[in-house]
Amino acid sequence: MLSEKDKESIQNAYRQFLNGRELKARYGQKLMIAAIARTLGGIQRNGAGERDHGKTDGEHICVVEAGTGTGKTVSYLLAAIPMAIAHDKTLVVSTATVALQEQIINKDLPELIRHSGLKFEVSLAKGRGRYLCLSKLDQLLTELTSSGVGASLALYEDEKPQVDEVGIKLYRDMADELASGRWDGDRDNWKDTIEGDDWSRVTTDHRQCSGRRCPHVSSCSFFRARESLGKSRVIVANHDLLLADLALGGGAILPPPEDTIYVLDEAHHLPDKALNHFAHHSRVGATTGWLDQANKNLGQLLGDIGDGGELERAGEELPALFTAAKQKMEMAWPLLEDLCEFEEERGKNSGAFAGRSARHRFEGGVVPESLMHLAEQLREDFDEIEGLLSKMVQSAQRMMEDAHSPVPIVDLERWYPVLGSWHGRAEANLELWANYSRIDEGAVPQARWVTLVEWGGSFDFEVCSSPILAGKTLEFSLWRRCYGAVLTSATLTALGRFDRLKMRAGTPDNASYEIVPSPFDFSRAELRVPKDAVEANNADLHTDAVIEALPDLLEGPGGSLVLFASRRQMETVYESLPGTWRNRILMQGQQSRQQLLDSHKKSVDSGGHSVLFGLASFAEGLDLPGDYCRHVVIAKLPFAVPDDPIEAALAEWIEAKGGNAFMQITVPDAALKLVQACGRLLRTERDSGTITLLDRRIVTKRYGRAMLDSLPPFRRAIN
């Protein structure tokens, strides 16, 4: 139960914040603060200050859907920070987008510190991949000096583009800026945009990083940033970093879950991001090439860092295993060609992919016996390779710590990232082929599929597997372990219920679930379904109807946003409109997102009329208040494209259990996306405008009423 002391601390902080900002309390904000405070204040603790797991599990988790305009960031910070201080825990605020992360660290938290009276330290947490590796930069500049322009610097990995004079200047500028203290090694703080290939040469990951053994550790940008995490009460991270930490066991990058209160903002993104983190992938051709290249370079590696001991003994066993694994990978190619049906795609032609679809999914996640047998052989080979490389990595680590090591430190520095990369690649293949070599025994099957990907001017087979739901993984790695958690977003329910979130994210039934109302007056917006709208399941007829309707719909002042469910329809509509209309339209893909928005706002600010054409990514997170968006047109109900292998496997599993995948998955998903799309119109309490839906199914189909009822209470003009 929330103590009077904690309640008073939160109330005082809220009161001071409102007075300092000269704001009035919002009803929804007060409800959200109270819900979070009740949950965190009700956590039962043992004598050591740990959460008592003997109590009913799940009551330490609070799920809050807070409508736009609630002020949810301030709400969860004002409720959770005093509780983290009182319980001596770290608060980790995790977001799905960089934009929100930057808003919290640069705006919301500084304002809270300035006006609430709360005293706490804050850090921004990023992964190693956002920081420069001094060891790699030093090696790269040394090789460039000796090799000159055109050095490939592939370091025995898959070939990367060669370094040109512009690249050389970039790396020398980096070294100068670091030495002068004008740059801290954070990619996001560099003065210009750094291309991915350029950055990949001078960053690292946990496999390639030698950690505290590195001679550059005292100047390492990543470790400097990481040291501040241990001193901070509040850490702002992102879902990808949080999931990476959980994949490493928790507590490897961020504080241990048991000592952490998590706030997961934009929490509706967490399940999909979790699936990405816990999926397995391996490319057949690329892996075959890597095994061959590694075998060729193994002799030089052992010649440079062979110690006459464990590293050398392990290394001498690798050639036979590399060769055996390569031979079996070569057998996988014709087998996959025989087993997989890459049928012709309708109306597409893309070079090496002409006449082929992108992927083949194994129904029910069941792998053909011949592929399962080969997978077991590959599992055995990669199990041995991974074990030997693990011994070599550990041996190299010990030598780097040994002041009397027989191997020069400079050689260990050069080869350690290569060893680490090999080890990571072997482990990834081990996990993938182990997954393909076994029959699913759990209640929920795996999705397994093969994707055609471009590779070296031709194509490669990417063999993939993934859980179809992230719920169990999140349950055991996060919900059961954490001290407390708050999940929030403007869209957590689907069709007015939290069932979709529970299924996909695995949140417990006995967690606290709250819906906090938005302060907006939704009667300031009108939802229209024109009588001449057609059902979008007739694609050609629907596209023609959209082309005919748009010119009349979009006549009027200010900005408009037209949202499409497919790029093909968006481009067809754009090309079919009169030239005078195309001049008003800014279409997604023509420029970067930010450039499109800047051009749109500039046109509206000058009194013009601008129309944005966008896809699903424009239906979420796009903030166009006032005249920037007076009309949102939704071309069709946002049903997911049915070719996603994970969603297809999930639907198949539900049907096999006697369920209705369309009503249990497809409709709730579309309902949530429709709410997000409609949410592009009202961004402030003063906004007004129109939402037009050009898909008659919202009226004619039985699921349409449920989808309509899940929308905010707009005025309706449905003919």
Side-chain angles (χ1 to χ4, degrees):
M1 184 176 180
L2 183 66
S3 71
E4 287 300 319
K5 182 179 178 181
D6 290 339
K7 184 188 298 184
E8 185 177 341
S9 174
I10 293 170
Q11 289 174 342
N12 285 340
Y14 188 35
R15 192 180 305 114
Q16 287 188 52
F17 179 79
L18 293 175
N19 291 337
R21 294 285 317 282
E22 298 181 349
L23 298 172
K24 293 182 179 180
R26 299 179 186 178
Y27 176 65
Q29 199 167 57
K30 291 166 68 176
L31 290 177
M32 185 170 179
I33 291 172
I36 295 170
R38 279 197 306 271
T39 297
L40 299 181
I43 295 173
Q44 300 295 309
R45 295 186 288 172
N46 59 25
E50 301 165 335
R51 181 167 64 83
D52 189 346
H53 291 264
K55 303 297 180 183
T56 305
D57 215 24
E59 295 180 355
H60 61 299
I61 296 171
C62 183
V63 181
V64 185
E65 180 177 87
T68 304
T70 303
K72 63 180 180 294
T73 307
V74 169
S75 299
Y76 62 64
L77 291 174
L78 280 169
I81 291 173
M83 300 306 299
I85 294 171
H87 292 205
D88 193 25
K89 303 299 177 187
T90 301
L91 178 68
V92 172
V93 179
S94 179
T95 74
T97 61
V98 173
L100 182 55
Q101 196 175 12
E102 290 177 345
Q103 175 193 312
I104 292 170
I105 202 77
N106 296 324
K107 178 179 178 289
D108 297 326
L109 281 168
E111 285 184 350
L112 203 70
I113 292 171
R114 192 177 305 119
H115 298 295
S116 69
L118 297 171
K119 305 296 181 186
F120 55 91
E121 295 295 321
V122 178
S123 290
L124 176 63
K126 300 180 183 181
R128 279 182 179 85
R130 305 306 298 176
Y131 294 97
L132 178 103
C133 172
L134 281 168
S135 179
K136 280 199 170 184
L137 179 64
D138 184 42
Q139 291 176 33
L140 188 149
L141 289 173
T142 299
E143 292 196 18
L144 283 172
T145 301
S146 60
S147 303
V149 177
S152 74
L153 299 163
L155 283 179
Y156 316 113
E157 288 298 305
D158 298 335
E159 287 298 314
K160 298 173 184 173
Q162 294 186 334
V163 181
D164 56 18
E165 291 182 0
V166 175
I168 293 174
K169 183 179 185 304
L170 170 66
Y171 298 129
R172 287 176 176 159
D173 285 349
M174 285 180 175
D176 291 342
E177 294 293 296
L178 280 168
S180 67
R182 292 188 295 268
W183 183 47
D184 61 359
D186 184 334
R187 180 180 183 177
D188 299 317
N189 294 336
W190 184 250
K191 53 193 174 184
D192 300 309
T193 300
I194 305 174
E195 295 298 327
D197 285 332
D198 293 331
W199 182 251
S200 66
R201 297 190 187 96
V202 291
T203 191
T204 190
D205 57 32
H206 78 281
R207 288 289 184 197
Q208 300 179 60
C209 177
S210 57
R212 301 289 178 184
R213 307 169 190 87
C214 178
H216 297 284
V217 67
S218 61
S219 305
C220 176
S221 305
F222 170 72
F223 278 100
R224 281 182 173 179
R226 186 170 174 178
E227 284 172 2
S228 69
L229 299 186
K231 306 171 186 175
S232 299
R233 179 68 65 186
V234 178
I235 297 171
V236 181
N238 57 62
H239 296 345
D240 288 318
L241 184 64
L242 169 60
L243 291 163
D245 183 58
L246 296 178
L248 293 171
I253 305 168
L254 300 169
E258 293 78 6
D259 298 328
T260 302
I261 296 172
Y262 295 96
V263 172
L264 300 157
D265 204 340
E266 302 174 308
H268 60 285
H269 286 293
L270 186 67
D272 286 342
K273 286 186 174 289
L275 287 177
N276 288 336
H277 271 268
F278 298 109
H280 305 299
H281 308 266
S282 177
R283 294 188 179 186
V284 174
T287 301
T288 303
W290 163 68
L291 288 165
D292 185 54
Q293 189 68 35
N295 214 356
K296 290 176 181 177
N297 289 291
L298 183 61
Q300 185 182 348
L301 181 150
L302 294 176
D304 287 349
I305 63 172
D307 59 346
E310 183 179 43
L311 186 147
E312 197 159 333
R313 287 194 298 273
E316 288 171 350
E317 293 184 48
L318 280 174
L321 288 166
F322 279 154
T323 300
K326 179 192 169 191
Q327 290 172 346
K328 294 182 182 70
M329 291 298 291
E330 289 171 340
M331 292 167 59
W333 190 278
L335 181 59
L336 290 172
E337 282 192 315
D338 182 52
L339 292 174
C340 299
E341 296 182 5
F342 296 103
E343 297 176 354
E344 290 192 11
E345 283 190 303
R346 290 186 289 261
K348 289 191 178 181
N349 190 321
S350 53
F353 295 89
R356 297 170 181 260
S357 75
R359 51 178 77 93
H360 170 92
R361 185 177 66 85
F362 297 107
E363 290 189 12
V366 178
V367 178
E369 188 175 343
S370 56
L371 181 56
M372 185 179 290
H373 178 68
L374 180 60
E376 173 58 23
Q377 294 178 313
L378 283 164
R379 184 203 65 77
E380 292 174 354
D381 285 346
F382 279 110
D383 187 33
E384 291 192 65
I385 291 171
E386 188 277 333
L388 291 170
L389 287 170
S390 178
K391 289 180 180 179
M392 294 175 74
V393 167
Q394 293 170 24
S395 180
Q397 289 172 348
R398 287 193 294 271
M399 286 192 285
M400 294 177 84
E401 294 170 351
D402 184 359
H404 304 290
S405 169
V407 179
I409 189 67
V410 66
D411 291 331
L412 287 167
E413 279 185 62
R414 173 174 175 76
W415 283 102
Y416 185 87
V418 178
L419 263 181
S421 179
W422 288 2
H423 182 221
R425 203 155 182 172
E427 187 174 61
N429 272 277
L430 171 60
E431 291 170 346
L432 183 280
W433 296 115
N435 183 281
Y436 266 66
S437 68
R438 62 174 179 258
I439 297 173
D440 293 326
E441 296 179 351
V444 182
Q446 294 267 316
R448 297 182 176 92
W449 70 97
V450 180
T451 303
L452 276 174
V453 294
E454 291 184 276
W455 184 59
S458 183
F459 66 91
D460 196 356
F461 293 118
E462 183 170 32
V463 185
C464 313
S465 73
S466 171
I468 60 174
L469 291 171
K472 282 297 178 185
T473 301
L474 290 172
E475 176 189 346
F476 286 99
S477 64
L478 184 55
W479 311 136
R480 289 196 181 190
R481 292 183 59 190
C482 69
Y483 183 79
V486 177
L487 293 82
T488 188
S489 168
T491 47
L492 290 178
T493 61
L495 302 175
R497 300 167 63 89
F498 286 98
D499 294 359
R500 178 185 183 276
L501 179 74
K502 291 179 182 179
M503 178 182 72
R504 292 183 179 272
T507 52
D509 287 336
N510 60 329
S512 171
Y513 292 91
E514 307 283 346
I515 299 176
V516 174
S518 167
F520 290 173
D521 177 4
F522 289 103
S523 68
R524 294 174 63 87
E526 183 175 76
L527 174 65
R528 299 175 182 171
V529 182
K531 62 181 179 181
D532 52 355
V534 303
E535 295 186 5
N537 47 4
N538 187 327
D540 293 338
L541 186 63
H542 178 257
T543 298
D544 290 341
V546 172
I547 293 167
E548 184 176 347
L550 280 184
D552 290 337
L553 285 175
L554 299 177
E555 284 290 355
S560 301
L561 172 65
V562 184
L563 295 168
F564 294 89
S566 77
R567 181 173 295 278
R568 180 183 300 176
Q569 186 182 53
M570 179 177 73
E571 292 175 346
T572 300
V573 171
Y574 176 80
E575 293 295 337
S576 301
L577 289 171
T580 53
W581 263 103
R582 289 202 299 273
N583 292 336
R584 304 183 191 183
I585 296 169
L586 297 165
M587 185 168 65
Q588 185 176 355
Q590 291 176 332
Q591 297 173 291
S592 72
R593 177 180 171 125
Q594 192 57 52
Q595 287 173 325
L596 287 175
L597 295 180
D598 289 344
S599 298
H600 176 78
K601 290 178 180 178
K602 184 178 179 181
S603 180
V604 174
D605 287 341
S606 64
H609 183 196
S610 178
V611 179
L612 285 168
F613 272 21
L615 300 168
S617 61
F618 274 40
E620 181 185 0
L622 203 64
D623 195 26
L624 296 169
D627 287 340
Y628 294 136
C629 187
R630 291 296 184 190
H631 196 167
V632 174
V633 179
I634 301 168
K636 63 182 292 188
L637 293 175
F639 289 113
V641 179
D643 65 352
D644 179 88
I646 299 175
E647 291 298 309
L650 176 59
E652 188 177 64
W653 174 65
I654 287 175
E655 296 281 352
K657 294 197 306 172
N660 184 326
F662 182 73
M663 295 304 297
Q664 290 177 247
I665 300 175
T666 308
V667 171
D669 285 359
L672 185 145
K673 291 174 183 175
L674 183 61
V675 171
Q676 291 173 337
C678 292
R680 295 316 94 209
L681 183 66
L682 301 183
R683 305 305 300 167
T684 73
E685 294 183 45
R686 299 182 301 276
D687 288 349
S688 62
T690 305
I691 300 165
T692 302
L693 178 57
L694 297 176
D695 187 344
R696 197 71 186 167
R697 289 178 297 177
I698 196 76
V699 177
T700 60
K701 301 298 183 183
R702 67 185 182 93
Y703 55 76
R705 173 57 57 183
M707 296 178 78
L708 277 174
D709 290 344
S710 71
L711 294 174
F714 304 119
R715 289 182 290 113
R716 292 183 183 179
I718 300 176
N719 299 313

